[in-house]
Amino acid sequence: MKTVKILIALVLAVCAVTVIYFAQSAKDSLPGLLETMDAQQLAAQDDKMLKARDRVTDALEEGDREKTLRNLTRYLDGFSDKLTFSDGVNRELMLFKNYPVLTAGSIFLLAIALALVVYALDKGKKFKKLALPLVLIAALYCGIYIVENITGVNSMLMTVLKKGAIYALIAVSMNLLNGFTGLFSLGQAGFMLIGAYAYAILSIPVENRAQVYQYYAGGLIQFSLPPLLSIVIAGLAAAFFAFLIGLPVLRLKSDYLAIATLGFAEIIRAVFQYEGLGPITNGSNLLRRFTVFSTALYPFAIAGVCIALITLLIHSTYGRAFKAIRDDEVAAEAMGINLFAHKQLAFVISSFFAGVGGALLAMYQTTVQAAAFTSAMTYEILLIVVIGGMGSISGSVIASFLFVAASEWWLRFLDNETMIGSFQVPLLRSGFRMVAFSAVIMAVVLFYRKGIMGDKEFSLARMIGWTRHRKEAHDER
Amino acid sequence: MSVETMLELKHVTMQFGGVVAVDDLSMHIKKDEIVALIGPNGAGKTTAFNCITGVYAPTNGQVFYQDKLIVSNHPQGRMKQLYVGSHKQFPSEVVENTPDQITKLGVARTFQNIRLFKTQTAFENVLIATHLHRKSNLFSATLRLNYKEEQQHRELAEQLLDAVGLLKEKDELAVSLPYGKQRRLEIARALATKPQLLLLDEPAAGMNPQETEALAKFIVGIRKRFGLTIFLIEHHMDLVMDISDRIYVIDFGKQIATGLPEQIQDNPAVIAAYLGVDEE
Ligand SMILES: Nc1ncnc2c1ncn2[C@@H]1O[C@H](COP(=O)(O)OP(=O)(O)OP(=O)(O)O)[C@@H](O)[C@H]1O
Ligand SMILES: [Mg+2]
């Protein structure tokens, strides 16, 4: 049984690697292909054909894949009689058109192969638990990649997925504090603002600075950091502010934290728009032209890693201490848990990830302005946490995507004046969406007090009625 | 071990506004003893525990644990005028320790009105109390580099659940357990901090005579097994007389008697103040 599994895994891996090899080689094959198809150099004599062909190569150089494919189809359809299609050319064309999907599929196959090997070789039961999530995560990421290539980067679905992933990270970071540690903070927008600004300021390429900081003589900072480093610093900046706020406030017993953080968020929003700081923050003007991401995989990867880290933290001995504080401070302290140190830790970590979320949001929006980070943003996140369930990470994630999809997409039609025949549908006009949205949220809060998930986690095992856990527990006895 | 004195209170006074809950309480507990603190309702027993464990800073007086000064205070601020305690000499030092620091020194406690972690299972409740022994830091714990330590802590938690007879209820929510089992779970949780001195606040409250008798055996058992010194508050006289080496009796915050169980049983002051009021 073991050898069979490993053999299957090997075959899968070989297939996957082969496909990846061909797919990757097809990536840069288009210019050569165009030459081969036009063996007689007909394009040189036909002006229209040359233009169509140039449109393809231009789009390719721009790096806009959608446009390239569109222009390529037009070129191939328009001049099929003048082009030669050998078997080799057809195959290469197919590979070029589909290489992202093929790559994604192959990565998925590789993940399955890896999972099989883990299953076969695992002596303890430790890694088996890892294998299934591994495959699911690979499937998720491949799925996103494929969907992105089918619908295009800027489709509504991708917009929702990108923003949803970012909101998921921010909601989980808030849940760490409000849901798991029992500390009520209302400063999320403030920490996001710090993260977004830190990221934008640090990652604007030097050559763009003169233009961005046009009112401040090119600004004070004349260097630029790589995006990943900027994101980490964005998180650290937010964490640093949290540390300063926590020092006095978290020593107090009651809920001063909510007031302090709310006030902090308002103050920081004003400070970042202050003219005197213009050489750094660009005053009340937009920050723009910083490095942004071009694929949804980027926010998914970063949010995914961060949420995974938070989940690991919550299930570690520190996470247990946080939950103990939430359940009963007096008992937690009597069990040797230093209340202040642990509250401070939870607050700083939560703010770090809010800062990272802010940086991602900046990348998603491509521009940043302090005025947009209002307390309404904090309430949005709080709503997501409540709807998803205080103390449920998967709840926060699910609720984020639902919330973003509903507010950006599904309820959009409510804002459009609509005619059925000559009859104008009542109520539908700009702004009605927010009214309907509020009603939906009120219903959820009223009837699903504990949110979608309560404080439980989404579990595949439970969903498909898997009895493995129960069996294992039974075996041990 | 060379420590002879486990706990010593010197003139401890706790005054809330005008109410003197504990008044000039001095006591002395030797290693390996089981000492009981008794007294009628509202006598100030729980308050005395809270002064020892750092929940309250006493208004006046000192607490020594293994000859180390862990709590010391004199009337400060508003209390300078308000102070009406019987003991009028004030120690000059101010020593304050938070409850978690005192627990780390080796003093664990249970609560009169059970304080379990409500959303956690029995096992998790005990496991949380191993947190103070961690050698891991935030990073090693998050990245699971501390799996050996984690394994040890989990084993300790299971052993303790077994010791209090709750291994079968391991994965049940703490609050769903019957009353008596919740009390035993609290003891297991306190033991997970690896104490040398265990403070039990009415461990037999709400138990029937059979359960109380079993609890008496259990307390004597854990003293031996874990090398504990035990200081308990209790209203069940049978239990107190059965297992205590010595007894302190307080009323209105003041000590009214102390001695061996036989001596306390026949002490007229005690009978008047306590047994007379609270008929067993
Ligand atoms: N935090 C507080 N603030 C004000 N008064 C308090 C406080 N804690 C206790 N007291 C008062 O101190 C006195 C002693 O209370 P304590 O709880 O110590 O009594 P006890 O001996 O434990 O009684 P019981 O047997 O009912 O548990 C009571 O009169 C109580 O009202
Ligand atoms: Mg009491």
Side-chain angles (χ1 to χ4, degrees):
Chain A
M1 204 48 214
K2 204 187 247 183
T3 35
V4 175
K5 272 184 195 156
I6 292 184
L7 264 178
I8 296 176
L10 263 179
V11 173
L12 283 179
V14 169
C15 291
V17 169
T18 320
V19 175
I20 290 178
Y21 173 77
F22 277 113
Q24 288 304 307
S25 67
K27 205 169 155 183
D28 305 315
S29 66
L30 194 58
L33 253 173
L34 291 174
E35 294 288 327
T36 343
M37 283 190 288
D38 189 12
Q40 293 152 306
Q41 305 266 328
L42 288 174
Q45 295 146 35
D46 186 337
D47 226 24
K48 259 191 190 162
M49 188 169 163
L50 190 64
K51 261 192 192 143
R53 197 179 126 159
D54 283 349
R55 269 200 291 270
V56 179
T57 40
D58 286 351
L60 190 67
E61 262 157 40
E62 272 174 46
D64 189 338
R65 208 179 125 73
E66 269 177 84
K67 205 163 142 195
T68 312
L69 286 181
R70 213 165 44 232
N71 291 344
L72 180 64
T73 317
R74 232 175 263 155
Y75 175 65
L76 294 179
D77 290 350
F79 305 94
S80 55
D81 45 334
K82 294 189 180 169
L83 298 169
T84 40
F85 293 101
S86 66
D87 280 355
V89 167
N90 275 331
R91 199 188 63 229
E92 291 272 300
L93 266 179
M94 189 280 289
L95 274 178
F96 178 79
K97 282 183 188 161
N98 296 310
Y99 80 83
V101 177
L102 287 172
T103 314
S106 308
I107 292 172
F108 182 50
L109 285 186
L110 271 182
I112 292 181
L114 188 62
L116 271 175
V117 173
V118 168
Y119 258 96
L121 294 183
D122 192 19
K123 287 199 197 83
K125 284 171 187 162
K126 215 167 162 188
F127 292 102
K128 271 190 186 160
K129 274 197 208 141
L130 281 175
L132 184 70
L134 200 80
V135 172
L136 288 177
I137 290 168
L140 174 73
Y141 281 75
C142 296
I144 292 164
Y145 195 51
I146 293 170
V147 170
E148 189 173 69
N149 274 287
I150 292 169
T151 66
V153 189
N154 296 318
S155 65
M156 185 50 89
L157 179 61
M158 292 321 289
T159 304
V160 167
L161 285 178
K162 279 186 278 194
K163 196 174 177 192
I166 297 166
Y167 266 50
L169 170 60
I170 299 165
V172 169
S173 80
M174 191 175 202
N175 208 342
L176 171 67
L177 198 64
N178 293 19
F180 286 96
T181 320
L183 289 173
F184 203 65
S185 150
L186 290 173
Q188 229 61 5
F191 296 115
M192 285 160 68
L193 184 150
I194 292 172
Y197 262 76
Y199 174 80
I201 291 167
L202 291 173
S203 75
I204 296 174
V206 177
E207 63 267 25
N208 293 347
R209 286 193 184 259
Q211 207 182 359
V212 176
Y213 289 96
Q214 52 182 324
Y215 304 112
Y216 298 98
L220 202 63
I221 299 171
Q222 287 305 332
F223 60 87
S224 141
L225 298 177
L228 262 182
L229 183 61
S230 305
I231 290 177
V232 173
I233 295 177
L236 290 177
F240 175 71
F241 277 91
F243 177 79
L244 291 185
I245 299 169
L247 275 184
V249 174
L250 290 175
R251 286 190 197 277
L252 305 173
K253 286 253 169 196
S254 35
D255 273 330
Y256 289 102
L257 186 65
I259 302 161
T261 47
L262 191 64
F264 157 76
E266 291 302 317
I267 292 166
I268 205 83
R269 191 156 58 93
V271 168
F272 273 68
Q273 295 180 69
Y274 168 57
E275 286 297 310
L277 288 175
I280 298 169
T281 62
N282 213 12
S284 53
N285 308 301
L286 281 175
L287 281 172
R288 61 205 166 87
R289 306 202 62 184
F290 45 83
T291 319
V292 300
F293 50 72
S294 53
T295 157
L297 288 179
Y298 194 90
F300 262 84
I302 291 187
V305 168
C306 292
I307 292 174
L309 282 175
I310 296 175
T311 311
L312 281 172
L313 170 70
I314 283 169
H315 290 105
S316 77
T317 178
Y318 284 88
R320 291 194 293 263
F322 293 163
K323 286 183 257 180
I325 292 173
R326 170 192 67 188
D327 284 0
D328 192 327
E329 279 195 11
V330 175
E333 206 176 14
M335 293 308 124
I337 295 168
N338 183 331
L339 290 185
F340 171 70
H342 282 82
K343 286 178 180 179
Q344 180 76 308
L345 203 59
F347 185 41
V348 167
I349 294 171
S350 162
S351 306
F352 174 85
F353 287 113
V356 171
L360 289 177
L361 195 65
M363 294 173 110
Y364 163 81
Q365 294 172 341
T366 72
T367 60
V368 180
Q369 195 167 25
F373 290 81
T374 56
S375 50
M377 200 177 230
T378 301
Y379 295 131
E380 265 183 19
I381 309 287
L382 183 63
L383 251 168
I384 291 174
V385 172
V386 171
I387 291 175
M390 298 278 258
S392 169
I393 295 176
S394 39
S396 289
V397 173
I398 294 167
S400 295
F401 284 104
L402 289 178
F403 179 92
V404 173
S407 67
E408 304 266 321
W409 189 8
W410 297 336
L411 299 181
R412 262 283 147 89
F413 73 94
L414 295 174
D415 270 4
N416 303 332
E417 289 184 14
T418 309
M419 311 288 280
I420 298 176
S422 61
F423 170 73
Q424 176 168 7
V425 181
L427 292 176
L428 294 190
R429 68 182 61 109
S430 172
F432 184 64
R433 179 169 58 117
M434 291 323 284
V435 177
F437 198 55
S438 311
V440 170
I441 286 163
M442 261 168 62
V444 171
V445 174
L446 282 177
F447 299 112
Y448 276 107
R449 259 317 136 73
K450 290 188 148 180
I452 302 170
M453 302 294 296
D455 61 358
K456 305 281 184 303
E457 290 300 342
F458 174 81
S459 151
L460 254 189
R462 206 180 312 142
M463 275 202 65
I464 56 181
W466 222 11
T467 52
R468 211 185 68 180
H469 285 287
R470 222 175 297 154
K471 250 197 244 157
E472 265 175 19
H474 194 77
D475 291 346
E476 273 163 26
R477 247 174 244 162
Chain B
M1 202 204 275
S2 61
V3 200
E4 267 305 296
T5 309
M6 189 53 84
L7 187 74
E8 191 174 4
L9 273 65
K10 283 187 180 166
H11 313 293
V12 170
T13 303
M14 181 78 231
Q15 189 177 333
F16 296 107
V19 180
V20 189
V22 174
D23 194 6
D24 190 16
L25 186 63
S26 293
M27 49 199 318
H28 184 264
I29 298 174
K30 290 200 287 278
K31 185 174 160 24
D32 295 331
E33 273 189 314
I34 295 183
V35 173
L37 178 62
I38 64 173
N41 288 102
K45 306 179 294 293
T46 300
T47 305
F49 265 26
N50 285 337
C51 290
I52 298 168
T53 53
V55 176
Y56 298 143
T59 318
N60 189 34
Q62 296 183 313
V63 180
F64 293 85
Y65 169 70
Q66 297 186 349
D67 296 332
K68 179 181 181 301
L69 183 64
I70 57 169
V71 174
S72 178
N73 201 10
H74 51 242
Q76 295 183 49
R78 206 169 62 98
M79 264 302 152
K80 273 185 191 158
Q81 277 83 50
L82 282 179
Y83 184 75
V84 289
S86 330
H87 191 72
K88 304 293 183 193
Q89 276 162 335
F90 308 124
S92 55
E93 322 79 313
V94 172
V95 178
E96 248 190 277
N97 275 302
T98 51
D100 59 291
Q101 285 168 322
I102 288 175
T103 306
K104 278 175 196 142
L105 292 173
V107 183
R109 72 174 292 182
T110 64
F111 294 91
Q112 179 175 354
N113 45 349
I114 306 178
R115 284 178 171 272
L116 289 165
F117 302 121
K118 293 193 180 58
T119 64
Q120 309 291 305
T121 64
F123 178 69
E124 286 162 338
N125 262 277
V126 181
L127 193 55
I128 285 166
T130 64
H131 184 64
L132 80 168
H133 303 304
R134 71 190 180 280
K135 299 243 159 32
S136 53
N137 56 36
L138 185 68
F139 294 97
S140 59
T142 302
L143 301 176
R144 300 295 185 270
L145 303 174
N146 66 336
Y147 59 95
K148 273 204 188 117
E149 180 183 87
E150 177 83 12
Q151 201 53 43
Q152 285 165 5
H153 286 177
R154 284 172 181 272
E155 274 162 24
L156 174 68
E158 279 199 12
Q159 281 166 14
L160 290 173
L161 279 177
D162 197 18
V164 300
L166 288 175
L167 199 52
K168 262 197 299 194
E169 287 89 347
K170 183 175 173 245
D171 293 322
E172 275 173 45
L173 275 186
V175 281
S176 70
L177 295 175
Y179 206 65
K181 288 184 176 173
Q182 289 195 18
R183 290 225 172 264
R184 273 189 282 150
L185 180 58
E186 254 207 336
I187 295 178
R189 185 179 69 173
L191 289 176
T193 66
K194 297 188 184 163
Q196 294 172 43
L197 173 64
L198 181 61
L199 309 183
L200 301 173
D201 197 343
E202 303 200 15
M207 288 188 180
N208 61 33
Q210 287 92 330
E211 284 176 315
T212 308
E213 207 169 299
L215 182 76
K217 284 209 188 80
F218 171 72
I219 292 175
V220 175
I222 58 169
R223 163 170 72 166
K224 191 152 174 249
R225 181 165 168 190
F226 298 101
L228 293 170
T229 305
I230 290 170
F231 184 21
L232 84 159
I233 296 172
E234 194 41 77
H235 280 299
H236 284 66
M237 275 311 127
D238 301 343
L239 177 84
V240 172
M241 295 302 162
D242 189 16
I243 65 172
S244 315
D245 298 312
R246 283 186 306 118
I247 297 173
Y248 285 91
V249 191
I250 61 173
D251 194 12
F252 297 111
K254 282 198 184 73
Q255 179 183 314
I256 56 168
T258 177
L260 303 174
E262 311 78 81
Q263 297 169 325
I264 297 299
Q265 240 160 353
D266 306 330
N267 188 313
V270 177
I271 294 167
Y274 188 87
L275 300 175
V277 178
D278 197 339
E279 196 64 53
E280 269 294 309

